[in-house]
Amino acid sequence: MRNVYTIFFLFLIHCTAYAQSTPPATAPASPADLTERVRVLEENLRYANQGVTKIIDDLLWYQKLGDVAVIDKVRYGSKPPHVIKNPTGQGASNPVVIPAYTFTPKKFASAKKLPLLVFVHDGIHGDFSTLYAHVVRELLDQGYLIIAPEYRGSAGYGGEFYRQIDYGDYENDDVLAGKRWAVENMAQVDPDRVGIIGWSHGGMISLMNIFDHPEDYKVAYAGVPVTDIIARLGYKPQSYRTIFSEATHIGKDPSDNVAEYRRRSPVWNAQKLKTPLLIHTNTNDEDVNVLEVESLINALKAHDKKFEYKIYQDAPGGHSFNRLDTRLAHDSREEIYRFLARYLTPPAAVR
């Protein structure tokens, strides 16, 4: 914790020194200039706050799970940025460097091989925070190795990384690259026993990974997943829709390029399913409307795909219903664990 305060103190000193070294303007700034300066300052402060929060939360991982896991944070390369402002610039097409958490269960240190779970965090600009610590602990207790990629656009790594988000496209590749890194670099990983799990946006990424790369995964779980970006934008406010037409996201409105939105939506890729899949959704979900998940379920059935699903009726907690610390949430997670264990056979599977 002392390191966090030191970093933040140095950041304040840096800002103060910069302000003192900046010569005064020769003429009063216009209202437009002042507005832009305030916008930039607010944006920089937001990214700085995210960075400090990330540092603190990284320390909390060791406090919460250090007794049961060897925890590390690694980095690997993925695809170059989706949008490159200056393609001929030095290093313009370099791979985006992706951070990822790895967790190795201590009580199975002597096991020669263990199954791997790729754990995909939720939120378009979310991150893998210790809000998931109780779920990670439950998985470690069963004998899973875990890698949790912080795909491009995740919060806590500065503005440039934050703006790399590519909704439904390159972040899928960031997660796949993390899975392949783990298979190559984590000695205990059994390459034939790899699963992928995620909720919300993480569920969407999990779905697209198994649809496009079925050979890489033995099983998948998608909880309250985003499944149809076109339908989703139809029930979200204009401010939400505007985000995806920006150049740093999809770049066009659905009315200008509906085919691209369709390409990125799991519901329109249902015919590709080959991997055992469990889906959970909730009728009172306040974020991902149940109609999205029902559309995916119907599409999978229409293509005669074998999968499992459960639609919870007004389960307390809405979007987060089975990630809470309630009895219902625990029972729901045990459904997930029993499903995963069928295909990944961890050494201490939930019965």
Side-chain angles (χ1 to χ4, degrees):
M1 190 67 71
R2 194 176 305 159
N3 290 337
V4 174
Y5 291 129
T6 301
I7 291 169
F8 189 61
F9 180 66
L10 292 173
F11 172 75
L12 291 176
I13 292 175
H14 173 76
C15 291
T16 302
Y18 177 80
Q20 292 175 345
S21 65
T22 304
T26 56
S30 69
D33 288 339
L34 288 173
T35 299
E36 177 61 15
R37 289 182 188 181
V38 170
R39 186 195 67 78
V40 171
L41 283 171
E42 288 180 341
E43 185 177 77
N44 289 340
L45 182 60
R46 184 172 75 251
Y47 293 138
N49 181 60
Q50 290 174 356
V52 172
T53 301
K54 172 55 67 175
I55 292 170
I56 294 171
D57 202 59
D58 279 357
L59 295 175
L60 286 176
W61 276 116
Y62 294 92
Q63 180 183 356
K64 287 176 175 286
L65 295 178
D67 60 324
V68 296
V70 176
I71 306 166
D72 198 5
K73 198 165 185 183
V74 303
R75 301 193 304 162
Y76 56 85
S78 185
K79 285 188 173 180
H82 178 66
V83 178
I84 302 175
K85 293 181 179 179
N86 180 15
T88 60
Q90 184 175 350
S93 60
N94 283 351
V96 173
V97 175
I98 306 298
Y101 299 90
T102 63
F103 302 87
T104 301
K106 288 182 176 179
K107 72 176 181 179
F108 299 104
S110 61
K112 187 175 181 181
K113 291 294 179 181
L114 292 171
L116 172 73
L117 277 178
V118 181
F119 199 146
V120 192
H121 73 71
D122 60 338
I124 300 169
H125 288 297
D127 67 310
F128 196 69
S129 77
T130 49
L131 287 175
Y132 280 118
H134 61 304
V135 181
V136 173
R137 179 179 285 272
E138 290 168 353
L139 293 168
L140 290 167
D141 285 345
Q142 296 170 62
Y144 287 107
L145 299 164
I146 298 169
I147 184 167
E150 297 273 73
Y151 51 84
R152 68 189 69 199
S154 296
Y157 303 96
E160 184 176 350
F161 191 80
Y162 188 91
R163 290 186 291 269
Q164 290 292 339
I165 190 70
D166 185 30
Y167 193 91
D169 200 3
Y170 280 18
E171 68 261 35
N172 298 333
D173 298 288
D174 298 341
V175 170
L176 177 67
K179 176 265 175 183
R180 292 179 176 173
W181 178 92
V183 169
E184 292 176 5
N185 293 277
M186 296 177 71
Q188 278 187 292
V189 170
D190 182 345
D192 295 321
R193 290 189 291 162
V194 180
I196 185 168
I197 65 172
W199 279 265
S200 194
H201 186 64
M204 174 182 170
I205 292 176
S206 298
L207 289 167
M208 293 304 293
N209 260 255
I210 63 170
F211 289 162
D212 291 337
H213 306 281
E215 69 283 356
D216 278 88
Y217 301 100
K218 198 80 171 179
V219 65
Y221 169 73
V224 290
V226 173
T227 67
D228 189 342
I229 308 175
I230 302 168
R232 184 169 179 78
L233 297 187
Y235 65 79
K236 292 295 183 181
Q238 182 59 47
S239 58
Y240 186 91
R241 294 196 293 270
T242 300
I243 293 172
F244 301 101
S245 59
E246 293 176 356
T248 51
H249 284 61
I250 294 179
K252 289 186 177 182
D253 188 86
S255 62
D256 297 320
N257 193 352
V258 71
E260 183 62 19
Y261 282 77
R262 176 172 172 160
R263 183 182 73 83
R264 298 176 186 225
S265 298
V267 70
W268 297 103
N269 289 271
Q271 73 280 1
K272 299 178 183 177
L273 180 66
K274 296 180 181 178
T275 306
L277 170 65
L278 172 63
I279 302 168
H280 280 163
T281 188
N282 189 9
T283 55
N284 63 356
D285 191 323
E286 73 282 5
D287 186 335
V288 178
N289 194 295
V290 69
L291 71 86
E292 275 196 67
V293 188
E294 288 175 330
S295 294
L296 175 64
I297 291 168
N298 291 335
L300 290 168
K301 288 179 177 178
H303 289 289
D304 199 27
K305 298 297 181 179
K306 293 182 179 180
F307 67 104
E308 296 184 27
Y309 72 94
K310 184 172 182 178
I311 301 175
Y312 285 80
Q313 299 296 318
D314 296 330
H319 190 57
S320 300
F321 80 97
N322 65 351
R323 286 172 281 175
L324 303 178
D325 297 308
T326 62
R327 182 73 254 174
L328 182 146
H330 185 267
D331 290 345
S332 180
R333 289 198 300 274
E334 287 204 338
E335 292 177 17
I336 300 168
Y337 302 152
R338 284 192 290 269
F339 179 78
L340 296 174
R342 282 190 236 160
Y343 305 94
L344 301 179
T345 59
V350 170
R351 300 299 176 187

